[in-house]
Amino acid sequence: MLYPGVPRDWFRNRDGMGLWEGRGKVVATGVGTSPTARRWDEKPETSMGAMTIIAIRKAIADAGISPDEIDGLVLTPDSTTGVSNDPNNPPPPGWEQHFKMASFPQAGITRGDIDWILLNMPELKNVKFMMNGAICMSVSFVAAAEAVARGLTKTCLVVRGWHNLAGRYYVGVGASALNTASGRGKYGSIWGMPACGTTAMVFEEYCRKYGKSHDQMANFVVTQRRNGLMNPDGYYSQHRPEMIAVEDYLTARWIAKPANIYDNDLPIMAALAVVFTTPERARNHKQKPVYILSHGQTRPESPGITPTLEQWEQSTDRMGRILYEGAGVGPDDLAFENMYDGFTLFHQFHLEGLRFAARGEQRGYALDLYETDIGIEGPNPVSPSGGNNGNGRTRWWNHRDSILQLQGRSPSQIKKKAEIGVSGAPMPDACDALIWSATPPV
Amino acid sequence: MDAKCQTFLCDEALGDGTTDAGRQSLSQAITVDGRHRRMVLGGFQQQSKLAGVLYPTLEAKGTKDMSKQSPIPNALDKPFYDACNEERLVVQYCTNCRRYQFPPQSACTRCGNNASVEWRQLSGRGRIISRVVVHDTPTSSLIPGQPFNVAAIALDEDSEVIMLSHLPGTPVDQVPIGAAVEVIFETTPATGQKVPEWRVVG
């Protein structure tokens, strides 16, 4: 059965919901990551669809199971938020000789599509449960967790691919070059803010309120790159293996001050697949199971064109409460946090909402924390995955690394014992997050 | 996920600004400041002169007249844009929730009721709560005016309702956070549609 979206009653989006009913009933095992590329060269074998197939096959192999055992597939069909083809554009020459065509012409090119995957992966012959998790792979992780916990699938793939076509990112089929503006974007686009502008505005409010400065972000951004360069699957380690220094960050050109070029993540192509299953079935999997203790959701409630500091703080505070209530753990139980960084300037909202490494502080402490030892060797590993900032834009490096950390096989493995961690994405007021554990809940 | 959330997430999408060499060089040329060691490219004077020809009003320091895109109204937001053309500021108000909202929505974003949403005229006064200085805009018509201010304006009637402004008359990077502002209306060149802008009072 194909579910076009996640049922609303699967979400945990308010206080007072208690322990998550699926707590300890779902685990992640196999992980598969495709190669990365900066942009698509229009060859079928390097398309987003091809990368997705690679990732799925690697995840199944990593789990050490047969494709026959896969009975569920949850996919985030949305791909890049940048340049997109007309959805009715035909595929490039040679495509139809390489792949079977689904009804959607751009399937596998600019959009993920479950039908397309199943057509082109005949080995997935037992998939019965199918669901789309819109916008962000975080939604798909949550959907798959609920689906396994509810018994709708026993062994489920969670999948997302990203494409990046040639051309300047987010110019949006030329709309930004027009002298008129239509659609909902017109309320903001006529003021010409780049995508990081909203985040930069709220960050500016944050710095003003708490007496912090943009320069205090430098160690975080440098550490992100360092962590990312440890990951052989990341874009930077594969294509631009150069470290950056604090000086690079402090002297970088502005995009929307106080956001500079290093505060923006690099759009890339890549795909990830993860195997979710039950603890019982995981006994036959090759990799150590990682338990999901809880998940949570926030969605924008701002009545204005851009959120405010207060709204982002309220939203991330609520996420922290929902996650901890559902998991039965607290901030002190977290060995690491892998919250989203796909603009670096909002990572601290997630971190503070979780009260990660807080010493009694409630808000306004994260930039001071960033200036301490936040690396993988230290007492407070912040974003050990390196995130989007250290690996390229996918919104899933953080989830992937949380699983690998708790399996003890992350390429940027933290030195302290990794027992419980958290990851979530994307925005401070539009987030899906999960708490993961190396062991079953007590 | 609801439509508002989807829209927001799409709006959030990144423009990393690194890929168009022409834009980048122009951006670098006009984003030099004292703190940052950015290049001043050889084409600066020539590009500046070109900008002056194409956009003659952009040369005045601190009083940039930005060539905004003209918004095309639709059925939902026509009351807002019609009022702008009459130099009145109206936004939606939910009588159930006693709450304003902007941009326009088909229903109240809190209670979901559409019958309770009506248009109300506002005082046109607000306060600057934050700002950015845009050095690398994706909007082509604004590139010659870089860098430029974009301020977040909280409306006096409801501080959660935010509008954006280029703050005409305010020098770049000298936005007075917390200052009172009042609405003015700017004519956009392509269609003549007026849009709300804001200027610092006093």
Side-chain angles (χ1 to χ4, degrees):
Chain A
M1 177 178 180
L2 172 63
Y3 293 79
V6 185
R8 283 179 179 270
D9 63 356
W10 287 16
F11 289 139
R12 297 178 55 82
N13 52 12
R14 61 184 189 277
D15 293 308
M17 296 183 77
L19 285 174
W20 179 42
E21 291 181 359
R23 180 172 171 259
K25 297 178 182 173
V26 189
V27 297
T29 58
V31 174
T33 313
S34 77
T36 64
R38 179 76 169 96
R39 292 191 176 81
W40 189 33
D41 58 10
E42 300 205 3
K43 294 176 183 169
E45 61 270 27
T46 54
S47 63
M48 180 191 73
M51 288 184 168
T52 302
I53 291 172
I54 291 170
I56 290 173
R57 287 183 174 146
K58 287 174 76 173
I60 293 170
D62 190 54
I65 60 176
S66 162
D68 293 353
E69 296 178 55
I70 303 293
D71 66 353
L73 200 166
V74 180
L75 171 79
T76 297
D78 313 87
S79 178
T80 188
T81 38
V83 178
S84 290
N85 279 341
D86 182 319
N88 295 313
N89 270 2
W95 182 263
E96 293 178 44
Q97 285 73 52
H98 212 89
F99 295 115
K100 293 178 179 171
M101 295 285 290
S103 57
F104 185 65
Q106 287 281 305
I109 299 174
T110 61
R111 190 172 172 82
D113 187 287
I114 290 176
D115 287 343
W116 186 90
I117 290 171
L118 296 181
L119 274 171
N120 288 285
M121 297 190 73
E123 68 266 40
L124 297 178
K125 56 191 176 198
N126 291 324
V127 173
K128 304 288 191 304
F129 174 83
M130 295 166 277
M131 180 176 281
N132 287 329
I135 307 292
C136 186
M137 194 173 185
S138 304
V139 178
S140 289
F141 278 122
V142 166
E146 284 284 348
V148 173
R150 291 165 185 262
L152 297 171
T153 165
K154 292 183 173 60
T155 304
C156 183
L157 287 165
V158 193
V159 178
R160 181 166 196 187
W162 285 80
H163 80 275
N164 189 26
L165 303 181
R168 193 183 191 224
Y169 201 70
Y170 203 54
V171 172
V173 292
S176 298
L178 303 177
N179 59 9
T180 58
S182 302
R184 294 199 62 75
K186 66 189 168 193
Y187 306 119
S189 69
I190 67 170
W191 276 271
M193 282 224 289
C196 63
T198 295
T199 297
M201 264 188 184
V202 185
F203 179 82
E204 178 83 1
E205 274 190 272
Y206 174 93
C207 288
R208 189 169 296 274
K209 178 175 180 179
Y210 297 112
K212 307 302 175 189
S213 77
H214 179 261
D215 287 1
Q216 292 183 272
M217 292 291 299
N219 186 47
F220 171 70
V221 174
V222 169
T223 304
Q224 288 289 76
R225 182 64 62 89
R226 176 176 181 259
N227 292 344
L229 287 176
M230 295 179 201
N231 174 19
D233 295 321
Y235 174 80
Y236 285 106
S237 68
Q238 291 181 353
H239 302 282
R240 295 189 193 175
E242 305 98 16
M243 188 55 192
I244 58 171
V246 167
E247 179 69 4
D248 296 320
Y249 183 75
L250 297 181
T251 57
R253 71 181 181 93
W254 298 118
I255 302 300
K257 185 182 178 183
N260 71 24
I261 188 73
Y262 289 114
D263 294 315
N264 290 262
D265 47 342
L266 190 74
I268 63 166
M269 295 186 60
L272 176 72
V274 176
V275 175
F276 274 20
T277 189
T278 63
E280 296 74 26
R281 287 182 176 251
R283 291 189 192 116
N284 299 320
H285 289 213
K286 194 168 71 179
Q287 301 300 341
K288 182 176 180 292
V290 173
Y291 293 79
I292 299 171
L293 298 187
S294 180
H295 65 82
Q297 288 74 40
T298 57
R299 295 293 181 265
E301 295 178 357
S302 167
I305 197 165
T306 184
T308 63
L309 172 64
E310 184 180 13
Q311 289 158 2
W312 273 11
E313 290 191 335
Q314 287 175 351
S315 191
T316 46
D317 278 352
R318 188 165 69 250
M319 174 62 87
R321 292 193 305 269
I322 291 169
L323 284 174
Y324 293 136
E325 181 184 356
V329 302
D332 292 343
D333 295 308
L334 296 181
F336 62 87
E337 64 81 28
N338 259 324
M339 297 300 285
Y340 188 58
D341 66 328
F343 296 116
T344 63
L345 301 185
F346 63 56
H347 183 82
Q348 87 277 5
F349 294 111
H350 289 301
L351 185 153
E352 290 182 0
L354 293 162
R355 305 293 188 267
F356 178 78
R359 292 152 304 202
E361 300 104 325
Q362 298 296 307
R363 283 285 174 184
Y365 70 89
L367 269 59
D368 295 332
L369 176 68
Y370 285 174
E371 295 185 301
T372 67
D373 182 3
I374 56 172
I376 59 172
E377 300 87 355
N380 301 306
V382 169
S383 190
S385 69
N388 270 23
N389 202 246
N391 292 286
R393 170 175 245 258
T394 64
R395 293 182 181 160
W396 46 245
W397 297 109
N398 51 339
H399 295 297
R400 169 188 183 269
D401 186 65
S402 292
I403 297 165
L404 298 179
Q405 290 282 350
L406 296 168
Q407 290 174 329
R409 58 177 180 140
S410 167
S412 49
Q413 187 69 38
I414 64 172
K415 296 300 177 264
K416 66 192 285 191
K417 185 180 180 185
E419 181 69 29
I420 293 175
V422 61
S423 52
M427 301 297 286
D429 62 349
C431 184
D432 289 68
L434 304 97
I435 291 189
W436 312 82
S437 174
T439 54
V442 178
Chain B
M1 188 170 292
D2 62 23
K4 184 178 180 227
C5 183
Q6 289 195 19
T7 301
F8 182 84
L9 288 169
C10 289
D11 288 347
E12 173 265 331
L14 171 65
D16 80 340
T18 61
T19 58
D20 183 315
R23 290 184 188 204
Q24 188 171 345
S25 64
L26 177 59
S27 171
Q28 286 176 322
I30 61 179
T31 57
V32 175
D33 65 29
R35 175 173 172 254
H36 289 74
R37 59 169 192 214
R38 299 179 192 116
M39 286 188 298
V40 179
L41 301 182
F44 175 56
Q45 287 184 335
Q46 185 181 350
Q47 287 170 331
S48 181
K49 188 184 292 181
L50 177 64
V53 171
L54 295 176
Y55 302 91
T57 57
L58 300 180
E59 296 291 309
K61 287 181 181 174
T63 55
K64 291 176 179 176
D65 185 9
M66 309 296 290
S67 293
K68 292 182 178 66
Q69 294 174 303
S70 291
I72 305 298
N74 57 30
L76 177 65
D77 56 30
K78 189 171 184 302
F80 171 77
Y81 286 113
D82 284 350
C84 286
N85 287 338
E86 297 166 4
E87 304 209 340
R88 294 183 300 114
L89 184 65
V90 301
V91 303
Q92 289 178 321
Y93 180 80
C94 176
T95 54
N96 278 353
C97 302
R98 298 180 181 178
R99 184 182 192 237
Y100 291 93
Q101 63 184 19
F102 179 84
Q105 306 281 350
S106 56
C108 172
T109 56
R110 179 167 287 172
C111 70
N113 195 334
N114 58 3
S116 62
V117 174
E118 61 186 29
W119 292 94
R120 287 196 177 180
Q121 185 166 336
L122 303 181
S123 66
R125 290 190 291 271
R127 185 174 57 85
I128 302 171
I129 62 164
S130 195
R131 61 94 211 189
V132 296
V133 181
V134 174
H135 290 250
D136 198 343
T137 178
T139 306
S140 297
S141 66
L142 299 176
I143 290 173
Q146 292 178 157
F148 56 84
N149 296 320
V150 180
I153 309 296
L155 303 183
D156 274 5
E157 284 82 355
D158 186 338
S159 62
E160 287 198 333
V161 178
I162 309 298
M163 290 193 174
L164 299 178
S165 172
H166 286 139
L167 285 182
T170 298
V172 174
D173 212 358
Q174 295 181 40
V175 173
I177 302 296
V181 292
E182 64 182 9
V183 73
I184 56 176
F185 291 90
E186 183 178 310
T187 302
T188 56
T191 67
Q193 172 64 52
K194 290 184 179 180
V195 296
E197 258 297 1
W198 300 80
R199 67 181 169 204
V200 177
V201 177

mmCIF file of all heavy atoms in Angstrom, chain B residues 81-110:
data_model
loop_
_atom_site.group_PDB
_atom_site.id
_atom_site.type_symbol
_atom_site.label_atom_id
_atom_site.label_comp_id
_atom_site.label_asym_id
_atom_site.label_seq_id
_atom_site.Cartn_x
_atom_site.Cartn_y
_atom_site.Cartn_z
ATOM 1 N N TYR B 81 -2.705 44.213 -1.915
ATOM 2 C CA TYR B 81 -2.014 45.027 -2.925
ATOM 3 C C TYR B 81 -2.875 46.193 -3.412
ATOM 4 O O TYR B 81 -2.344 47.266 -3.726
ATOM 5 C CB TYR B 81 -1.553 44.142 -4.083
ATOM 6 C CG TYR B 81 -0.355 43.291 -3.704
ATOM 7 C CD1 TYR B 81 -0.453 41.904 -3.604
ATOM 8 C CD2 TYR B 81 0.869 43.889 -3.412
ATOM 9 C CE1 TYR B 81 0.640 41.136 -3.234
ATOM 10 C CE2 TYR B 81 1.966 43.124 -3.040
ATOM 11 C CZ TYR B 81 1.846 41.745 -2.955
ATOM 12 O OH TYR B 81 2.935 40.995 -2.578
ATOM 13 N N ASP B 82 -4.184 45.996 -3.457
ATOM 14 C CA ASP B 82 -5.057 47.129 -3.810
ATOM 15 C C ASP B 82 -4.911 48.241 -2.768
ATOM 16 O O ASP B 82 -4.843 49.430 -3.108
ATOM 17 C CB ASP B 82 -6.523 46.680 -3.888
ATOM 18 C CG ASP B 82 -6.817 45.911 -5.169
ATOM 19 O OD1 ASP B 82 -5.945 45.898 -6.072
ATOM 20 O OD2 ASP B 82 -7.916 45.317 -5.260
ATOM 21 N N ALA B 83 -4.870 47.847 -1.506
ATOM 22 C CA ALA B 83 -4.712 48.848 -0.443
ATOM 23 C C ALA B 83 -3.360 49.541 -0.553
ATOM 24 O O ALA B 83 -3.254 50.759 -0.342
ATOM 25 C CB ALA B 83 -4.862 48.180 0.922
ATOM 26 N N CYS B 84 -2.323 48.785 -0.896
ATOM 27 C CA CYS B 84 -1.000 49.415 -1.084
ATOM 28 C C CYS B 84 -1.092 50.500 -2.155
ATOM 29 O O CYS B 84 -0.513 51.589 -1.996
ATOM 30 C CB CYS B 84 0.035 48.376 -1.500
ATOM 31 S SG CYS B 84 0.557 47.270 -0.186
ATOM 32 N N ASN B 85 -1.803 50.216 -3.231
ATOM 33 C CA ASN B 85 -1.917 51.229 -4.295
ATOM 34 C C ASN B 85 -2.664 52.467 -3.818
ATOM 35 O O ASN B 85 -2.504 53.547 -4.379
ATOM 36 C CB ASN B 85 -2.604 50.621 -5.518
ATOM 37 C CG ASN B 85 -1.679 49.661 -6.264
ATOM 38 O OD1 ASN B 85 -0.453 49.746 -6.128
ATOM 39 N ND2 ASN B 85 -2.253 48.748 -7.036
ATOM 40 N N GLU B 86 -3.479 52.288 -2.763
ATOM 41 C CA GLU B 86 -4.160 53.441 -2.146
ATOM 42 C C GLU B 86 -3.361 53.976 -0.954
ATOM 43 O O GLU B 86 -3.859 54.800 -0.185
ATOM 44 C CB GLU B 86 -5.556 53.012 -1.680
ATOM 45 C CG GLU B 86 -6.460 52.564 -2.829
ATOM 46 C CD GLU B 86 -7.709 51.821 -2.325
ATOM 47 O OE1 GLU B 86 -7.882 51.729 -1.085
ATOM 48 O OE2 GLU B 86 -8.462 51.326 -3.169
ATOM 49 N N GLU B 87 -2.158 53.473 -0.802
ATOM 50 C CA GLU B 87 -1.253 53.862 0.293
ATOM 51 C C GLU B 87 -1.886 53.625 1.660
ATOM 52 O O GLU B 87 -1.812 54.453 2.576
ATOM 53 C CB GLU B 87 -0.763 55.301 0.110
ATOM 54 C CG GLU B 87 -0.102 55.486 -1.254
ATOM 55 C CD GLU B 87 0.964 56.550 -1.289
ATOM 56 O OE1 GLU B 87 0.965 57.405 -0.391
ATOM 57 O OE2 GLU B 87 1.796 56.506 -2.216
ATOM 58 N N ARG B 88 -2.498 52.463 1.774
ATOM 59 C CA ARG B 88 -3.018 51.987 3.052
ATOM 60 C C ARG B 88 -2.415 50.616 3.318
ATOM 61 O O ARG B 88 -2.231 49.822 2.399
ATOM 62 C CB ARG B 88 -4.548 51.843 3.016
ATOM 63 C CG ARG B 88 -5.310 53.141 2.858
ATOM 64 C CD ARG B 88 -6.821 52.892 2.912
ATOM 65 N NE ARG B 88 -7.283 51.993 1.854
ATOM 66 C CZ ARG B 88 -7.790 50.776 2.071
ATOM 67 N NH1 ARG B 88 -7.913 50.302 3.301
ATOM 68 N NH2 ARG B 88 -8.199 50.029 1.053
ATOM 69 N N LEU B 89 -2.118 50.341 4.593
ATOM 70 C CA LEU B 89 -1.567 49.040 4.956
ATOM 71 C C LEU B 89 -2.662 48.208 5.610
ATOM 72 O O LEU B 89 -3.164 48.583 6.676
ATOM 73 C CB LEU B 89 -0.386 49.200 5.918
ATOM 74 C CG LEU B 89 0.334 47.904 6.309
ATOM 75 C CD1 LEU B 89 1.005 47.263 5.091
ATOM 76 C CD2 LEU B 89 1.362 48.158 7.403
ATOM 77 N N VAL B 90 -3.016 47.113 4.976
ATOM 78 C CA VAL B 90 -3.995 46.203 5.572
ATOM 79 C C VAL B 90 -3.372 44.817 5.678
ATOM 80 O O VAL B 90 -2.570 44.424 4.829
ATOM 81 C CB VAL B 90 -5.302 46.132 4.736
ATOM 82 C CG1 VAL B 90 -5.947 47.499 4.599
ATOM 83 C CG2 VAL B 90 -5.068 45.504 3.372
ATOM 84 N N VAL B 91 -3.704 44.104 6.721
ATOM 85 C CA VAL B 91 -3.305 42.702 6.827
ATOM 86 C C VAL B 91 -4.491 41.906 7.366
ATOM 87 O O VAL B 91 -5.462 42.477 7.875
ATOM 88 C CB VAL B 91 -2.064 42.479 7.734
ATOM 89 C CG1 VAL B 91 -0.870 43.272 7.253
ATOM 90 C CG2 VAL B 91 -2.372 42.797 9.165
ATOM 91 N N GLN B 92 -4.383 40.601 7.270
ATOM 92 C CA GLN B 92 -5.464 39.736 7.736
ATOM 93 C C GLN B 92 -5.488 39.681 9.270
ATOM 94 O O GLN B 92 -4.446 39.742 9.919
ATOM 95 C CB GLN B 92 -5.290 38.330 7.178
ATOM 96 C CG GLN B 92 -5.549 38.216 5.684
ATOM 97 C CD GLN B 92 -5.300 36.801 5.198
ATOM 98 O OE1 GLN B 92 -4.358 36.146 5.636
ATOM 99 N NE2 GLN B 92 -6.130 36.335 4.269
ATOM 100 N N TYR B 93 -6.706 39.527 9.800
ATOM 101 C CA TYR B 93 -6.890 39.429 11.246
ATOM 102 C C TYR B 93 -7.910 38.327 11.511
ATOM 103 O O TYR B 93 -8.963 38.268 10.870
ATOM 104 C CB TYR B 93 -7.415 40.758 11.789
ATOM 105 C CG TYR B 93 -7.654 40.765 13.289
ATOM 106 C CD1 TYR B 93 -6.594 40.927 14.173
ATOM 107 C CD2 TYR B 93 -8.940 40.626 13.808
ATOM 108 C CE1 TYR B 93 -6.814 40.945 15.542
ATOM 109 C CE2 TYR B 93 -9.160 40.636 15.180
ATOM 110 C CZ TYR B 93 -8.085 40.803 16.046
ATOM 111 O OH TYR B 93 -8.294 40.820 17.401
ATOM 112 N N CYS B 94 -7.572 37.437 12.439
ATOM 113 C CA CYS B 94 -8.507 36.382 12.804
ATOM 114 C C CYS B 94 -9.289 36.832 14.041
ATOM 115 O O CYS B 94 -8.695 37.058 15.110
ATOM 116 C CB CYS B 94 -7.775 35.072 13.090
ATOM 117 S SG CYS B 94 -8.892 33.769 13.672
ATOM 118 N N THR B 95 -10.591 36.952 13.879
ATOM 119 C CA THR B 95 -11.412 37.408 15.002
ATOM 120 C C THR B 95 -11.549 36.330 16.072
ATOM 121 O O THR B 95 -11.841 36.638 17.222
ATOM 122 C CB THR B 95 -12.809 37.826 14.499
ATOM 123 O OG1 THR B 95 -13.376 36.738 13.767
ATOM 124 C CG2 THR B 95 -12.717 39.054 13.599
ATOM 125 N N ASN B 96 -11.339 35.077 15.708
ATOM 126 C CA ASN B 96 -11.349 34.007 16.715
ATOM 127 C C ASN B 96 -10.125 34.088 17.609
ATOM 128 O O ASN B 96 -10.214 34.038 18.837
ATOM 129 C CB ASN B 96 -11.327 32.626 16.032
ATOM 130 C CG ASN B 96 -12.686 32.178 15.590
ATOM 131 O OD1 ASN B 96 -13.690 32.823 15.902
ATOM 132 N ND2 ASN B 96 -12.737 31.081 14.841
ATOM 133 N N CYS B 97 -8.987 34.181 16.968
ATOM 134 C CA CYS B 97 -7.713 34.119 17.703
ATOM 135 C C CYS B 97 -7.223 35.498 18.124
ATOM 136 O O CYS B 97 -6.236 35.594 18.861
ATOM 137 C CB CYS B 97 -6.646 33.445 16.840
ATOM 138 S SG CYS B 97 -7.089 31.777 16.316
ATOM 139 N N ARG B 98 -7.888 36.536 17.617
ATOM 140 C CA ARG B 98 -7.454 37.916 17.880
ATOM 141 C C ARG B 98 -5.974 38.075 17.536
ATOM 142 O O ARG B 98 -5.154 38.493 18.352
ATOM 143 C CB ARG B 98 -7.727 38.305 19.327
ATOM 144 C CG ARG B 98 -9.195 38.268 19.653
ATOM 145 C CD ARG B 98 -9.457 38.658 21.083
ATOM 146 N NE ARG B 98 -10.873 38.589 21.385
ATOM 147 C CZ ARG B 98 -11.399 38.847 22.570
ATOM 148 N NH1 ARG B 98 -10.604 39.195 23.574
ATOM 149 N NH2 ARG B 98 -12.696 38.773 22.768
ATOM 150 N N ARG B 99 -5.693 37.724 16.322
ATOM 151 C CA ARG B 99 -4.296 37.659 15.914
ATOM 152 C C ARG B 99 -4.193 38.086 14.451
ATOM 153 O O ARG B 99 -5.013 37.685 13.622
ATOM 154 C CB ARG B 99 -3.842 36.214 16.071
ATOM 155 C CG ARG B 99 -2.404 35.896 15.789
ATOM 156 C CD ARG B 99 -2.256 34.390 15.976
ATOM 157 N NE ARG B 99 -0.878 33.958 16.000
ATOM 158 C CZ ARG B 99 -0.387 33.051 15.162
ATOM 159 N NH1 ARG B 99 -1.152 32.510 14.239
ATOM 160 N NH2 ARG B 99 0.866 32.676 15.249
ATOM 161 N N TYR B 100 -3.177 38.904 14.148
ATOM 162 C CA TYR B 100 -2.899 39.298 12.773
ATOM 163 C C TYR B 100 -2.003 38.257 12.115
ATOM 164 O O TYR B 100 -1.278 37.521 12.802
ATOM 165 C CB TYR B 100 -2.187 40.658 12.739
ATOM 166 C CG TYR B 100 -3.061 41.818 13.150
ATOM 167 C CD1 TYR B 100 -3.093 42.257 14.471
ATOM 168 C CD2 TYR B 100 -3.847 42.482 12.209
ATOM 169 C CE1 TYR B 100 -3.880 43.325 14.854
ATOM 170 C CE2 TYR B 100 -4.640 43.561 12.586
ATOM 171 C CZ TYR B 100 -4.654 43.975 13.906
ATOM 172 O OH TYR B 100 -5.442 45.030 14.279
ATOM 173 N N GLN B 101 -2.011 38.224 10.779
ATOM 174 C CA GLN B 101 -1.073 37.357 10.071
ATOM 175 C C GLN B 101 -0.708 37.968 8.723
ATOM 176 O O GLN B 101 -1.511 38.602 8.062
ATOM 177 C CB GLN B 101 -1.642 35.939 9.877
ATOM 178 C CG GLN B 101 -2.888 35.863 9.020
ATOM 179 C CD GLN B 101 -3.445 34.434 8.948
ATOM 180 O OE1 GLN B 101 -3.150 33.572 9.771
ATOM 181 N NE2 GLN B 101 -4.270 34.196 7.926
ATOM 182 N N PHE B 102 0.534 37.805 8.369
ATOM 183 C CA PHE B 102 1.054 38.206 7.074
ATOM 184 C C PHE B 102 2.249 37.323 6.775
ATOM 185 O O PHE B 102 3.084 37.128 7.649
ATOM 186 C CB PHE B 102 1.498 39.680 7.069
ATOM 187 C CG PHE B 102 2.056 40.102 5.735
ATOM 188 C CD1 PHE B 102 1.193 40.507 4.726
ATOM 189 C CD2 PHE B 102 3.416 40.071 5.488
ATOM 190 C CE1 PHE B 102 1.702 40.874 3.486
ATOM 191 C CE2 PHE B 102 3.919 40.431 4.251
ATOM 192 C CZ PHE B 102 3.064 40.834 3.253
ATOM 193 N N PRO B 103 2.378 36.800 5.592
ATOM 194 C CA PRO B 103 1.623 36.980 4.362
ATOM 195 C C PRO B 103 0.197 36.437 4.444
ATOM 196 O O PRO B 103 -0.119 35.643 5.343
ATOM 197 C CB PRO B 103 2.432 36.161 3.337
ATOM 198 C CG PRO B 103 3.757 35.931 3.961
ATOM 199 C CD PRO B 103 3.536 35.918 5.419
ATOM 200 N N PRO B 104 -0.628 36.844 3.490
ATOM 201 C CA PRO B 104 -2.018 36.383 3.482
ATOM 202 C C PRO B 104 -2.106 34.858 3.345
ATOM 203 O O PRO B 104 -1.305 34.237 2.661
ATOM 204 C CB PRO B 104 -2.606 37.072 2.236
ATOM 205 C CG PRO B 104 -1.706 38.229 1.974
ATOM 206 C CD PRO B 104 -0.340 37.797 2.405
ATOM 207 N N GLN B 105 -3.103 34.310 4.033
ATOM 208 C CA GLN B 105 -3.368 32.869 3.968
ATOM 209 C C GLN B 105 -4.855 32.668 3.679
ATOM 210 O O GLN B 105 -5.665 33.569 3.915
ATOM 211 C CB GLN B 105 -3.030 32.200 5.310
ATOM 212 C CG GLN B 105 -1.622 32.466 5.814
ATOM 213 C CD GLN B 105 -0.582 31.610 5.126
ATOM 214 O OE1 GLN B 105 -0.917 30.674 4.399
ATOM 215 N NE2 GLN B 105 0.678 31.941 5.340
ATOM 216 N N SER B 106 -5.189 31.477 3.228
ATOM 217 C CA SER B 106 -6.596 31.202 2.938
ATOM 218 C C SER B 106 -7.400 30.999 4.215
ATOM 219 O O SER B 106 -8.634 31.010 4.193
ATOM 220 C CB SER B 106 -6.717 29.978 2.035
ATOM 221 O OG SER B 106 -6.077 28.886 2.651
ATOM 222 N N ALA B 107 -6.719 30.769 5.326
ATOM 223 C CA ALA B 107 -7.389 30.592 6.617
ATOM 224 C C ALA B 107 -6.427 31.030 7.713
ATOM 225 O O ALA B 107 -5.238 31.257 7.464
ATOM 226 C CB ALA B 107 -7.787 29.133 6.820
ATOM 227 N N CYS B 108 -6.935 31.125 8.916
ATOM 228 C CA CYS B 108 -6.081 31.472 10.053
ATOM 229 C C CYS B 108 -5.055 30.361 10.262
ATOM 230 O O CYS B 108 -5.408 29.179 10.290
ATOM 231 C CB CYS B 108 -6.928 31.641 11.311
ATOM 232 S SG CYS B 108 -5.933 31.837 12.810
ATOM 233 N N THR B 109 -3.801 30.747 10.416
ATOM 234 C CA THR B 109 -2.762 29.728 10.573
ATOM 235 C C THR B 109 -2.815 29.065 11.937
ATOM 236 O O THR B 109 -2.195 28.040 12.143
ATOM 237 C CB THR B 109 -1.364 30.342 10.372
ATOM 238 O OG1 THR B 109 -1.209 31.431 11.287
ATOM 239 C CG2 THR B 109 -1.185 30.825 8.952
ATOM 240 N N ARG B 110 -3.570 29.638 12.860
ATOM 241 C CA ARG B 110 -3.662 29.025 14.190
ATOM 242 C C ARG B 110 -4.910 28.158 14.317
ATOM 243 O O ARG B 110 -4.814 26.984 14.658
ATOM 244 C CB ARG B 110 -3.649 30.087 15.277
ATOM 245 C CG ARG B 110 -3.777 29.510 16.676
ATOM 246 C CD ARG B 110 -3.457 30.516 17.737
ATOM 247 N NE ARG B 110 -2.023 30.797 17.810
ATOM 248 C CZ ARG B 110 -1.482 31.745 18.554
ATOM 249 N NH1 ARG B 110 -2.238 32.525 19.294
ATOM 250 N NH2 ARG B 110 -0.174 31.929 18.588
#
